[in-house]
Amino acid sequence: MIDRSLGDRVFNVVNYVLLSLICIVVLYPLLFVLSASVSNPETVLRGEMWLIPKEFNLDSYTKIFQNKDILMGYGNTILYTAMGTALNLVMTVCAAYPLSRKDFAGRGLITGLIVFTMFFSGGLIPTYLLIKNLNMLDTFWVMIIPNAVSVWNIIIMRTFFQQSIPGEIQEAAMIDGSSHFQTLFRVVLPLSMPIIAVMVLFYAVGHWNAYFNALIYLSSKDKFPLQLILRELLVQSDSGDFIKLTSEAGVRLKMSMEGLKYAVLVVANLPMLILYPFLQRYFVKGIMIGALKG
Amino acid sequence: MMRSTDAVTSVSNLNAKPQRLRRLKKSLLLNWQLYVLILPVIVYYIVFHYLPMYGIQIAFKDFIANKGIMDSPWVGFKHFERFFNSYYFERLLKNTILISLYTLALSFPIPIILALMLNEVKAERFKKMVQTITYAPHFLSVVVIVGMLFLFLNPSTGIINHIIMALGFESIPFMTSPGWFKTLYVLSDVWQTMGWSSIIYLAALSGVDNQLHEAATIDGASKLQRIWHINIPTIAPTIVILLILNLGSVMSVGFEKVFLMQNNLNLSSSDVISTYVYRTGILDSQFSFSAAVGLFNSIINFALLVIVNYIARRVNETSLW
């Protein structure tokens, strides 16, 4: 359609301008962090760096890779993310496949049981006491098991099984004498790779970014995930005070600590930063499948 | 979304009990593998979600660790009364509700507007670019977002205060002033979520019948008129559903971000129910009292959801269930 009227043309111009502004507002802080991380920290802290890196250097990154806490946190997070996502995926398939089948008696009851937990929960304290009674406090497992599966993702996957995999194929397999396990592994799963990719991404991002369970349940630092280390570095160390200009050396130290923070932000999001452009469409696909049902 | 027709049929089948049992038996024999598959999931939900619900009873007891949840003595509503009469009650309630309402006022409509705007963009590449950029912050963790706030808003080294000082004003200690807390919370939330939240509306907009637009154009409707009379009514059901979900969680401000942005100096405006439960429960080990506070919160949440859903069904014939 061609926009004929003047009003419509004005609308179009305003629309493009506003959207461009929104892009700048969203993008600028991200680019600033990126540029600040490769600039000389002093220029950043004095407010001389606006967008283009000043006095390019990678000192902050070298320092990060010498920092034991960050490296350990990184290692822990990778482990929690890998193990957690694997368990999430298995549990989601285990729940979604039976719930997607019409011949599964008790389907409504079990769906109700699972969905109810989205709207009402025991709350923080009873859950904490349970974890304590299970002797899971400050263990590796507390980062994996309490979040073994998410209701929302079960619903998304079940919907995919119901709508995107023709029931006739499953029926045909069953008539040919294949069991439920065989149907699941040989027919359903091979046809579900797109949704499995989406699930892996959703769960993995969730694990990578989570800090709540670690904050509540972990006490020994060698088990801390990256986000908790980040919290110490970025949030707790910032008292909001003005820098006390006592000695030249003191200022230097504070400066390099502050400069480090930008690089830490980049490193923490590195996997996301690299993968995001390639994976974006999968994420969107996932949320669409969820939304269609809604 | 969760309109479970299965639940409805199983209820109507209640009076046909023997037949139902027979069916269940047959299904068990035939489909035992399905039950094996779902067993771990059921065990997980019972242990990690329903056992804590059973543990809620400590809100009505004086929890003594070595006696356990079962054998601790009952005390009725003692902990609830203490909470309602405490100095913090009003402050917590006010902060929790205000933060939610401010968030709702901005974070809810902006994605809708963004989706409507994006929907009018004909240049595919520009549209893709805007989407890619605005979705990106969704993937940053709360710790990173709050870390960025601290860095940008630092009174002496942050870029925002450099600008303020360059304009000749005093620098503002944003992160430690109670007056700024809610604004920062809501604006950073809009920044992070607007793109991602717009996806669902974009999906709904893709279902708009193009013939309506053509007919309206021939009748001389302007673009704004067409958006108002065609696009918005089409996505209205989606808006209502999401509004229900949001209103239902007015009393449950997420712990994670508030907690990170909170410090002793801004506590008067940043203390919410969930952070109070964490402080009194996990840090001070007043398990029964904090469980009571948490339960009070969950019950209100649940009631709100049911009420809002009821109203929506009455008014709009759109509801969650």
Side-chain angles (χ1 to χ4, degrees):
Chain A
M1 259 182 288
I2 306 155
D3 304 314
R4 270 151 288 191
S5 78
L6 178 72
D8 285 358
R9 261 179 287 163
V10 172
F11 175 91
N12 264 344
V13 173
V14 173
N15 195 23
Y16 276 85
V17 170
L18 279 179
L19 284 173
S20 307
L21 277 178
I22 289 175
C23 284
I24 293 170
V25 169
V26 173
L27 202 56
Y28 181 70
L30 300 174
L31 288 179
F32 183 87
V33 169
L34 205 61
S35 296
S37 72
V38 292
S39 297
N40 180 351
E42 289 178 35
T43 63
V44 177
L45 300 180
R46 281 199 301 265
E48 289 162 9
M49 204 286 295
W50 289 96
L51 184 62
I52 313 297
K54 275 217 163 156
E55 299 175 33
F56 183 88
N57 76 60
L58 294 171
D59 290 357
S60 302
Y61 287 97
T62 2
K63 279 192 197 114
I64 287 177
F65 288 105
Q66 286 159 1
N67 183 317
K68 280 210 182 77
D69 285 347
I70 294 179
L71 290 182
M72 202 172 58
Y74 226 96
N76 286 339
T77 291
I78 291 173
L79 189 65
Y80 296 144
T81 303
M83 297 287 288
T85 307
L87 178 67
N88 289 151
L89 198 62
V90 172
M91 290 285 276
T92 309
V93 171
C94 280
Y97 178 65
L99 293 180
S100 75
R101 294 201 52 106
K102 289 203 178 62
D103 54 350
F104 180 60
R107 189 162 78 128
L109 181 74
I110 295 171
T111 309
L113 187 90
I114 293 175
V115 168
F116 180 70
T117 63
M118 266 171 83
F119 300 115
F120 193 80
S121 75
L124 174 63
I125 303 301
T127 311
Y128 176 83
L129 291 175
L130 171 82
I131 301 287
K132 201 174 159 189
N133 287 336
L134 293 173
N135 286 324
M136 278 170 71
L137 281 187
D138 204 25
T139 58
F140 167 80
W141 298 106
V142 84
M143 295 298 293
I144 312 284
I145 295 179
N147 287 329
V149 69
S150 111
V151 181
W152 200 241
N153 291 344
I154 291 180
I155 295 175
I156 293 180
M157 197 144 191
R158 185 205 61 179
T159 309
F160 181 90
F161 285 165
Q162 278 172 343
Q163 294 180 347
S164 307
I165 297 175
E168 294 82 13
I169 301 185
Q170 292 188 46
E171 288 312 313
M174 300 297 269
I175 289 166
D176 287 347
S178 94
S179 68
H180 278 297
F181 289 153
Q182 284 166 329
T183 314
L184 175 61
F185 285 108
R186 300 218 178 120
V187 180
V188 176
L189 287 185
L191 287 171
S192 306
M193 281 311 150
I195 194 71
I196 288 175
V198 170
M199 288 292 132
V200 168
L201 295 173
F202 276 172
Y203 279 124
V205 173
H207 284 291
W208 189 272
N209 285 341
Y211 86 90
F212 184 72
N213 277 7
L215 173 81
I216 307 284
Y217 301 129
L218 293 185
S219 47
S220 43
K221 203 167 179 177
D222 61 336
K223 295 194 187 69
F224 278 9
L226 182 64
Q227 300 294 334
L228 224 47
I229 307 280
L230 284 181
R231 171 174 169 254
E232 286 180 2
L233 276 171
L234 298 169
V235 179
Q236 287 179 313
S237 71
D238 193 310
S239 51
D241 293 338
F242 288 81
I243 294 177
K244 307 233 169 13
L245 301 166
T246 42
S247 69
E248 184 79 0
V251 176
R252 273 277 151 70
L253 185 72
K254 177 89 185 180
M255 286 281 186
S256 74
M257 277 303 292
E258 289 289 316
L260 203 65
K261 290 179 179 176
Y262 290 100
V264 168
L265 283 177
V266 177
V267 171
N269 289 302
L270 209 56
M272 222 47 241
L273 213 64
I274 297 168
L275 294 175
Y276 174 67
F278 304 104
L279 300 180
Q280 189 212 343
R281 62 197 184 93
Y282 286 103
F283 282 111
V284 176
K285 198 185 271 173
I287 203 167
M288 292 290 200
I289 294 171
L292 284 180
K293 183 69 186 168
Chain B
M1 210 170 287
M2 273 137 280
R3 195 184 300 128
S4 166
T5 44
D6 314 318
V8 176
T9 44
S10 62
V11 168
S12 65
N13 275 352
L14 266 181
N15 40 11
K17 224 170 182 182
Q19 191 207 339
R20 211 168 149 241
L21 267 180
R22 225 179 309 132
R23 255 200 8 201
L24 186 68
K25 219 174 182 178
K26 199 177 142 207
S27 173
L28 266 172
L29 275 176
L30 228 120
N31 299 327
W32 63 271
Q33 292 179 328
L34 294 179
Y35 293 91
V36 170
L37 277 174
I38 208 162
L39 189 66
V41 181
I42 293 176
V43 169
Y44 163 78
Y45 273 101
I46 288 173
V47 172
F48 287 95
H49 292 268
Y50 285 90
L51 273 185
M53 286 187 210
Y54 173 78
I56 287 178
Q57 55 179 284
I58 66 160
F60 305 95
K61 290 180 164 184
D62 262 336
F63 179 66
I64 299 163
N66 51 20
K67 280 195 176 169
I69 291 171
M70 279 299 283
D71 296 329
S72 298
W74 290 94
V75 295
F77 286 91
K78 183 179 111 180
H79 302 295
F80 291 90
E81 278 166 27
R82 192 185 132 201
F83 176 56
F84 296 147
N85 294 324
S86 84
Y87 160 73
Y88 294 110
F89 179 65
E90 207 177 306
R91 177 172 106 175
L92 291 170
L93 212 58
K94 192 181 132 205
N95 284 336
T96 308
I97 293 175
L98 277 183
I99 291 176
S100 293
L101 289 183
Y102 291 157
T103 312
L104 197 64
L106 282 180
S107 295
F108 187 71
I110 288 178
I112 301 176
I113 297 169
L114 181 65
L116 289 171
M117 287 167 71
L118 271 173
N119 194 51
E120 296 306 317
V121 173
K122 294 284 177 299
E124 275 305 313
R125 290 185 73 170
F126 182 76
K127 191 174 172 182
K128 274 259 154 60
M129 185 195 76
V130 178
Q131 285 175 298
T132 306
I133 290 173
T134 53
Y135 297 169
H138 170 80
F139 298 100
L140 302 177
S141 72
V142 220
V143 183
V144 166
I145 300 277
V146 178
M148 280 166 67
L149 281 177
F150 271 106
L151 279 172
F152 293 156
L153 300 173
N154 186 299
S156 59
T157 58
I159 178 167
I160 302 286
N161 273 312
H162 276 301
I163 296 173
I164 291 175
M165 286 189 284
L167 294 174
F169 298 100
E170 288 270 304
S171 85
I172 302 169
F174 288 100
M175 297 307 278
T176 47
S177 8
W180 277 101
F181 176 82
K182 294 191 180 78
T183 312
L184 295 174
Y185 181 91
V186 173
L187 289 184
S188 59
D189 187 70
V190 170
W191 181 80
Q192 181 174 19
T193 59
M194 77 179 154
W196 193 252
S197 312
S198 73
I199 295 179
I200 196 157
Y201 300 111
L202 273 178
L205 279 170
S206 65
V208 172
D209 189 350
N210 225 351
Q211 288 181 350
L212 286 175
H213 276 288
E214 280 164 22
T217 317
I218 291 167
D219 288 347
S222 74
K223 238 181 184 171
L224 276 174
Q225 283 173 321
R226 279 187 281 129
I227 291 173
W228 186 255
H229 292 291
I230 300 172
N231 287 354
I232 293 186
T234 310
I235 60 173
T238 314
I239 296 177
V240 171
I241 294 244
L242 289 172
L243 192 64
I244 295 174
L245 283 173
N246 278 301
L247 282 173
S249 58
V250 156
M251 279 287 284
S252 61
V253 170
F255 169 90
E256 302 203 351
K257 194 162 148 202
V258 174
F259 176 72
L260 289 174
M261 290 176 67
Q262 196 171 69
N263 49 53
N264 287 329
L265 296 170
N266 67 15
L267 206 57
S268 63
S269 122
S270 68
D271 205 12
V272 296
I273 295 178
S274 54
T275 53
Y276 184 68
V277 170
Y278 170 76
R279 266 206 321 281
T280 51
I282 307 289
L283 298 184
D284 297 345
S285 302
Q286 304 179 45
F287 293 126
S288 284
F289 175 66
S290 53
V293 177
L295 177 59
F296 163 75
N297 199 355
S298 326
I299 288 175
I300 292 198
N301 277 335
F302 192 66
L304 271 176
L305 194 70
V306 173
I307 293 168
V308 175
N309 188 57
Y310 176 79
I311 296 172
R313 194 167 41 183
R314 268 307 183 69
V315 177
N316 211 312
E317 295 177 345
T318 310
S319 67
L320 281 183
W321 61 79

